[in-house]
Amino acid sequence: RRTKAVVQNEITVLKSYKMAHAALSELDFNISYTAVGRRGIAESKLYNSSPFFVVPDTTKPNQLNYPVHITILSPSTYRLTIDDKFKISREMYFGQDFNHDNFNFILLPRTPESLKKLNGFPLKYYFVMHDINGLVNRYRAGLNVEVNDEKGSILNMSLSGPNKEQICDYLNKLAEVYIKSNLNEKNISSSNTIR
């Protein structure tokens, strides 16, 4: 039977910055994509289903936590708009480098067919490149961990968010890094005992 203190310690570990950071570092959550409806209202957070993806140039600056608006004009072209303080509007080709003092990236089709399948141009989206620390804190704050049985041997993790597939991927990855971490600790402990 696990003591309450041991169970509480495991819950604290699961909700720790270190665990969330390890999980998010192995996931591709640093860029979020949102589809915008006809009336200019953000319709849905997309996860692995946006028709394009962003490849940031990590050797150059990229403004974090700032929306970059994309209007797909055809299967090969789009208009990039970064408003407010940057006032950028440029027509681009998919695969073309976008370089600016504060933004440096390429937009590519998610699959060879993803842009060809679209219809009803123009289609509007926006993406945001996120700060890893902000993401870690957001996921940590939303995570709920509860004891599922009297023995304290089962912990239930739950999290709510706009996309259940993404939330499931995060919870699975968090469980995976938690288990790896426990195995590493046991291996270190065994090695020290043998020594």
Side-chain angles (χ1 to χ4, degrees):
R1 186 183 172 92
R2 297 166 82 186
T3 66
K4 272 189 178 179
V6 170
V7 171
Q8 195 54 52
N9 185 50
E10 297 306 312
I11 290 172
T12 302
V13 169
L14 275 166
K15 294 179 92 171
S16 70
Y17 183 95
K18 181 182 174 185
M19 283 292 143
H21 192 282
L24 287 165
S25 294
E26 292 187 28
L27 293 164
D28 189 19
F29 286 10
N30 58 326
I31 301 173
S32 62
Y33 303 85
T34 304
V36 178
R38 293 278 175 215
R39 286 177 267 158
I41 299 165
E43 275 187 356
S44 56
K45 298 278 186 196
L46 305 173
Y47 175 61
N48 292 338
S49 63
S50 67
F52 62 90
F53 68 99
V54 179
V55 181
D57 183 341
T58 54
T59 66
K60 296 176 182 170
N62 274 299
Q63 180 81 37
L64 300 175
N65 308 316
Y66 203 89
V68 177
H69 295 268
I70 302 298
T71 303
I72 300 179
L73 304 172
S74 76
S76 59
T77 61
Y78 65 93
R79 179 175 294 108
L80 180 145
T81 310
I82 307 171
D83 49 16
D84 298 340
K85 66 179 180 183
F86 296 105
K87 295 182 177 30
I88 299 166
S89 182
R90 204 178 294 174
E91 201 162 310
M92 306 277 298
Y93 288 97
F94 286 96
Q96 182 181 353
D97 284 338
F98 178 76
N99 295 303
H100 180 269
D101 290 347
N102 299 86
F103 298 92
N104 296 277
F105 53 78
I106 298 174
L107 258 62
L108 295 171
R110 189 162 292 278
T111 68
E113 299 300 313
S114 61
L115 295 169
K116 293 173 190 163
K117 287 179 185 172
L118 296 175
N119 51 38
F121 297 110
L123 297 167
K124 295 184 176 185
Y125 300 84
Y126 68 86
F127 69 86
V128 176
M129 291 182 256
H130 297 285
D131 164 38
I132 184 76
N133 295 321
L135 274 182
V136 167
N137 289 327
R138 193 178 328 147
Y139 276 86
R140 281 182 67 211
L143 182 67
N144 188 31
V145 184
E146 293 179 339
V147 179
N148 170 293
D149 64 342
E150 284 180 26
K151 294 176 185 173
S153 57
I154 299 171
L155 296 175
N156 279 350
M157 297 188 298
S158 62
L159 186 65
S160 61
N163 188 294
K164 69 179 179 185
E165 187 189 346
Q166 189 170 11
I167 294 297
C168 285
D169 283 354
Y170 174 75
L171 291 173
N172 286 331
K173 185 57 73 175
L174 182 63
E176 186 186 307
V177 298
Y178 170 78
I179 290 164
K180 271 190 214 164
S181 170
N182 278 347
L183 287 173
N184 287 343
E185 281 179 28
K186 285 177 184 167
N187 288 339
I188 290 165
S189 177
S190 297
S191 296
N192 288 342
T193 303
I194 290 164
R195 227 177 275 128

